[in-house]
Amino acid sequence: MAEIERLPTIADVARACGVSMRTVSRVINGARNVKPATRVKIEQEIERLKFRPNPQARGLAASRSYLLGLVYDMPNALYLDTIQRGITGTCRSSGYELVIHPCESTGSDTVIADTLSFVRRSNIDGLIVLPPVSEMAALPPALDEAGVDYVLLASVDLVDPVHLVRSAERLACEDMTRHLIELGHRDIAFISGPSDYRSTRERLEGFRDAFRAAGLALNEELILKGDYGYHSGYSAGNALFSRRQKPTAIFASNDEMAFGVFNAAAEAGMSVPNDVSVCGFDDVVFAERTLPSLTTIRRPSLAMASLATEKLIALIEGRDDVANRMQAVVPLELILRNSTAARR
Amino acid sequence: MAEIERLPTIADVARACGVSMRTVSRVINGARNVKPATRVKIEQEIERLKFRPNPQARGLAASRSYLLGLVYDMPNALYLDTIQRGITGTCRSSGYELVIHPCESTGSDTVIADTLSFVRRSNIDGLIVLPPVSEMAALPPALDEAGVDYVLLASVDLVDPVHLVRSAERLACEDMTRHLIELGHRDIAFISGPSDYRSTRERLEGFRDAFRAAGLALNEELILKGDYGYHSGYSAGNALFSRRQKPTAIFASNDEMAFGVFNAAAEAGMSVPNDVSVCGFDDVVFAERTLPSLTTIRRPSLAMASLATEKLIALIEGRDDVANRMQAVVPLELILRNSTAARR
DNA sequence: ACAAGAGATGCCAGCGCTGGCATATTTCCA
DNA sequence: TGGAAATATGCCAGCGCTGGCATCTCTTGT
């Protein structure tokens, strides 16, 4: 019997079940109005034939691609894998695949144009955008106009909350600062991120909140500008350690910069945490492997990515989902390790 | 004028140029037999209309998806971003997109089944596989049978070289070991990776090669088993530092484990590199930020990924490309930093 | 028992493009 | 300069699926 080497199609399933293709299609797409008996029979046949709907054909007929896009642009994407697993994990149970688009950061205009071109080229159904791209104010309008569904992981709120998943950075920074204050520190330095990132402001505000709440005065001279890069943390550390009155604690607003401070401290002969407490933000893998291990703040990346994906799929499929109703602000976790200690 | 809100199709281009759709299709697909004048005219019209071929329709008609898949499964994918950029960079100039598939490592069978299911579900045209998945012996046959094109980034040679891109790990490890020998070290320890990885053997063989080439005897007791994880490096370090005769140099076969050794050394009161030289393999970002910075081996991930992508696309498009002719073994680079020094 | 409505199913066109082949046009050599 | 070969172009079916609507089959209430 010359069996034709060809994957089964919806027609094969329909024929075998004695129903029309349309009914099989309904089962595949989870339409409600199919008699349970029919549905079961079709599902069994699908299983038996190992039938898988052809995404190209589905896409062409329904003007959908069943593809989600991930746009990112971070030089040191240490949590990229976690984010990707969060997304693909949720994709898998809903029949979507993830197409990635790392963009070369060369100014807001270019990045947006690049993103739009990606969307059109690939016909993706929806987009998940990571910071810092997600924090560009011009992006949401451009995406709206292009008619793509999207969810941003960002610390912005200029956008309809259905499009947003963010973590409570400000609150976490306030908590961390309170922790330092409770350890007896008063001269606490803060190394901020690049001024054009929203998170920079959020984190700094959290820092201020803690002082405000404790009724303590804040020395503005101890707030230094960094850029989330290792070297900027190192320079800031050097600057702080060469002051006549050195801070007793330094809150670097990300781990990279905290490591820079570590090395500046070592070179200045300052011991962490005996002479100075240091903490960061991100909880990168290496944070627990340094000597001393780094007190930092952990963002639940996997959970955020899953949540974003759920929201996006709900958006695409036009469902008014719980995922889109709830406040998508996920809490962060303080990870207390050995780089912070009571003031001597 | 009620302009219909609809993206231009190949028919619009054809009409505007007074040619048939088939001819436009030829131009899009770079067929050779189109009169230059016609081609130019069509290209201009495509540009003017901002026409982009619909990938679903193309895919359906030509049974292709213009999608490449990336299968990986590494807990600490520090170079993932680099790999992804290498692939997407090359994809972009050839009209492909990249779909990622991180798999949950739960045994070779599961991973292979998972990969095959991914291939069928997503209809990707070709696959790029990263180690350790790429080193599973059962994978290539399964992929061959499934009729997918694929390229492996792996240290294996059980497979037709058209499917392979690898780096000269053994040679690099020999070079690194020679470097240690030239620094006067003789009691050199080696911390290997998990025994089921091919790279583990390659790296260890390189280590042996250097001793052999130098006519030196190798103390087998100084070869310890690790698993590429931080903790295994730490334990191995502890074991080595508690020996009566301590090694004067330790070659950890990846950076993670080298960092483990760093911390074990610190706790044992050994100074790196004064009391003991330490080197690693991978050149992760943090390698230059530790104190001391880590001497290590850099794999040209971006170049390897680009090369793999070129090979894969040549394979898919049936071209007998240069990329598939050349030996796809890329050299590694020794990065000499401060964790290695002459024996005291 | 029957109409009205709700639920289940079927029919067919067409999504946008390319493959295979037929046809038209140009090129080139005897 | 004729005609064969080479090159360029066109025609049409059909890839596998879903949308819209028509049709058929069950409920349910009176």
Side-chain angles (χ1 to χ4, degrees):
Chain A
M1 186 155 88
E3 197 72 56
I4 297 171
E5 187 67 71
R6 170 179 77 72
L7 294 174
T9 75
I10 206 175
D12 299 320
V13 179
R15 201 175 314 113
C17 292
V19 299
S20 75
M21 282 165 50
R22 195 65 187 83
T23 300
V24 178
S25 170
R26 285 192 179 94
V27 171
I28 295 169
N29 292 286
R32 249 187 322 287
N33 49 345
V34 177
K35 205 199 300 179
T38 316
R39 154 164 290 128
V40 168
K41 187 173 177 189
I42 293 175
E43 279 167 350
Q44 285 174 346
E45 195 57 30
I46 287 177
E47 192 49 45
R48 202 179 66 76
L49 258 37
K50 296 197 189 317
F51 164 77
R52 294 287 172 274
N54 177 319
Q56 274 71 42
R58 288 225 288 175
L60 184 57
S63 355
R64 314 237 283 95
S65 64
Y66 300 91
L67 257 26
L68 263 33
L70 173 67
V71 167
Y72 74 91
D73 173 24
M74 320 167 273
N76 42 357
L78 293 172
Y79 55 105
L80 183 61
D81 178 47
T82 308
I83 298 265
Q84 291 185 166
R85 284 178 192 268
I87 300 174
T88 54
T90 305
C91 278
R92 226 158 284 180
S93 47
S94 318
Y96 288 83
E97 298 291 340
L98 179 65
V99 179
I100 61 159
H101 186 79
C103 45
E104 345 273 343
S105 96
T106 39
S108 162
D109 289 356
T110 338
V111 170
I112 291 181
D114 183 33
T115 302
L116 291 178
S117 129
F118 163 62
V119 168
R120 285 214 37 200
R121 243 196 351 258
S122 60
N123 256 1
I124 53 154
D125 294 337
L127 210 58
I128 292 176
V129 190
L130 264 33
V133 182
S134 62
E135 300 190 343
M136 305 195 304
L139 188 69
L143 256 23
D144 283 331
E145 197 189 324
V148 223
D149 286 310
Y150 61 93
V151 171
L152 313 174
L153 263 69
S155 320
V156 213
D157 28 34
L158 346 126
V159 122
D160 186 322
V162 296
H163 296 300
L164 212 61
V165 170
R166 63 191 193 83
S167 54
E169 300 198 5
R170 181 168 174 170
L171 198 63
C173 287
E174 179 180 349
D175 290 346
M176 178 65 90
T177 310
R178 186 183 327 109
H179 166 68
L180 295 173
I181 291 173
E182 285 169 357
L183 287 173
H185 298 284
R186 291 298 175 271
D187 296 319
I188 310 177
F190 186 89
I191 309 177
S192 72
S195 53
D196 49 333
Y197 287 9
R198 173 63 178 248
S199 67
T200 295
R201 209 176 108 197
E202 290 284 307
R203 295 178 194 186
L204 182 53
E205 283 310 310
F207 180 70
R208 291 186 192 280
D209 289 345
F211 274 83
R212 216 170 286 137
L216 255 36
L218 176 52
N219 180 354
E220 295 287 336
E221 282 182 19
L222 291 179
I223 298 181
L224 270 67
K225 279 197 170 167
D227 63 7
Y228 284 162
Y230 169 83
H231 292 292
S232 75
Y234 179 76
S235 321
N238 280 340
L240 290 167
F241 296 133
S242 62
R243 286 173 60 93
R244 51 274 136 201
Q245 190 182 356
K246 301 177 177 48
T248 65
I250 301 177
F251 187 168
S253 63
N254 81 349
D255 288 356
E256 285 270 319
M257 298 195 296
F259 295 135
V261 173
F262 270 18
N263 285 0
E267 289 178 12
M270 304 275 292
S271 155
V272 178
N274 298 328
D275 302 323
V276 61
S277 286
V278 176
C279 61
F281 192 121
D282 276 349
D283 192 32
V284 300
V285 243
F286 282 89
E288 63 167 334
R289 305 193 182 163
T290 47
L291 265 183
S293 56
L294 181 69
T295 290
T296 186
I297 295 170
R298 178 183 299 163
R299 200 199 316 266
S301 300
L302 193 85
M304 288 180 73
S306 302
L307 181 57
T309 311
E310 281 170 30
K311 289 186 72 131
L312 182 57
I313 293 176
L315 231 38
I316 292 171
E317 304 188 342
R319 282 185 281 113
D320 189 7
D321 227 75
V322 248
N324 282 341
R325 288 258 173 75
M326 61 197 280
Q327 262 286 46
V329 180
V330 306
L332 294 139
E333 190 184 350
L334 252 58
I335 311 288
L336 303 180
R337 298 208 183 88
N338 302 322
S339 64
T340 47
R343 181 185 182 187
R344 270 195 318 191
Chain B
M1 186 156 93
E3 196 72 56
I4 298 170
E5 187 67 71
R6 168 179 77 75
L7 294 174
T9 75
I10 208 176
D12 298 320
V13 179
R15 201 174 314 113
C17 292
V19 299
S20 75
M21 282 166 50
R22 194 65 187 82
T23 301
V24 179
S25 169
R26 285 192 179 94
V27 171
I28 295 169
N29 293 286
R32 252 187 319 289
N33 49 344
V34 177
K35 206 197 303 179
T38 316
R39 154 164 289 130
V40 168
K41 188 172 174 190
I42 293 175
E43 279 168 350
Q44 285 174 348
E45 194 58 29
I46 287 178
E47 191 51 43
R48 201 178 66 75
L49 257 40
K50 298 199 189 315
F51 164 78
R52 295 286 172 274
N54 177 317
Q56 274 71 42
R58 290 224 288 174
L60 184 57
S63 0
R64 314 239 281 96
S65 64
Y66 300 91
L67 256 27
L68 263 35
L70 173 67
V71 167
Y72 74 91
D73 173 24
M74 318 169 274
N76 41 356
L78 292 172
Y79 55 105
L80 182 62
D81 178 47
T82 308
I83 299 264
Q84 291 185 166
R85 284 179 191 268
I87 300 173
T88 52
T90 304
C91 278
R92 226 159 285 180
S93 47
S94 318
Y96 288 83
E97 298 291 341
L98 180 65
V99 178
I100 61 159
H101 186 79
C103 45
E104 344 274 343
S105 97
T106 37
S108 163
D109 288 355
T110 338
V111 169
I112 291 181
D114 183 34
T115 302
L116 291 177
S117 129
F118 164 62
V119 167
R120 286 215 36 202
R121 243 196 350 257
S122 61
N123 255 4
I124 53 154
D125 294 336
L127 209 58
I128 292 176
V129 189
L130 264 35
V133 183
S134 61
E135 300 190 344
M136 303 195 305
L139 187 69
L143 255 22
D144 283 331
E145 197 189 323
V148 223
D149 286 310
Y150 61 93
V151 172
L152 313 174
L153 263 68
S155 320
V156 213
D157 29 35
L158 346 126
V159 123
D160 187 321
V162 296
H163 295 301
L164 212 60
V165 171
R166 63 192 193 84
S167 54
E169 300 197 3
R170 180 167 173 170
L171 198 62
C173 288
E174 180 180 351
D175 289 346
M176 178 65 90
T177 309
R178 187 184 326 110
H179 165 68
L180 296 173
I181 292 173
E182 284 167 359
L183 286 172
H185 297 284
R186 292 298 175 271
D187 297 319
I188 309 178
F190 186 89
I191 308 176
S192 71
S195 52
D196 49 331
Y197 287 8
R198 174 62 178 248
S199 67
T200 295
R201 210 176 107 196
E202 290 283 308
R203 295 179 193 187
L204 182 53
E205 283 310 309
F207 180 70
R208 289 186 194 280
D209 289 344
F211 274 83
R212 215 171 286 137
L216 255 35
L218 175 54
N219 181 354
E220 295 287 338
E221 283 182 19
L222 291 180
I223 299 180
L224 270 66
K225 278 197 171 166
D227 62 8
Y228 285 162
Y230 168 84
H231 292 290
S232 75
Y234 178 77
S235 320
N238 280 341
L240 290 167
F241 296 133
S242 62
R243 286 173 61 91
R244 51 275 134 198
Q245 189 182 354
K246 300 177 177 50
T248 66
I250 301 176
F251 187 168
S253 62
N254 82 349
D255 287 357
E256 285 271 319
M257 297 194 296
F259 295 134
V261 173
F262 270 19
N263 286 359
E267 290 179 10
M270 305 276 292
S271 155
V272 178
N274 297 328
D275 303 322
V276 61
S277 285
V278 176
C279 61
F281 191 121
D282 277 347
D283 192 31
V284 300
V285 246
F286 282 88
E288 62 168 335
R289 305 194 181 160
T290 47
L291 263 183
S293 56
L294 181 69
T295 289
T296 187
I297 295 170
R298 178 184 299 163
R299 200 199 316 265
S301 301
L302 193 85
M304 288 179 74
S306 302
L307 181 57
T309 312
E310 281 170 32
K311 290 186 73 131
L312 182 57
I313 293 177
L315 231 39
I316 292 170
E317 303 187 343
R319 284 185 281 112
D320 190 8
D321 227 74
V322 249
N324 283 341
R325 287 257 172 76
M326 61 197 280
Q327 261 287 46
V329 180
V330 306
L332 293 138
E333 190 185 351
L334 252 59
I335 310 288
L336 304 179
R337 297 208 182 88
N338 302 322
S339 64
T340 48
R343 182 186 181 184
R344 269 194 321 195

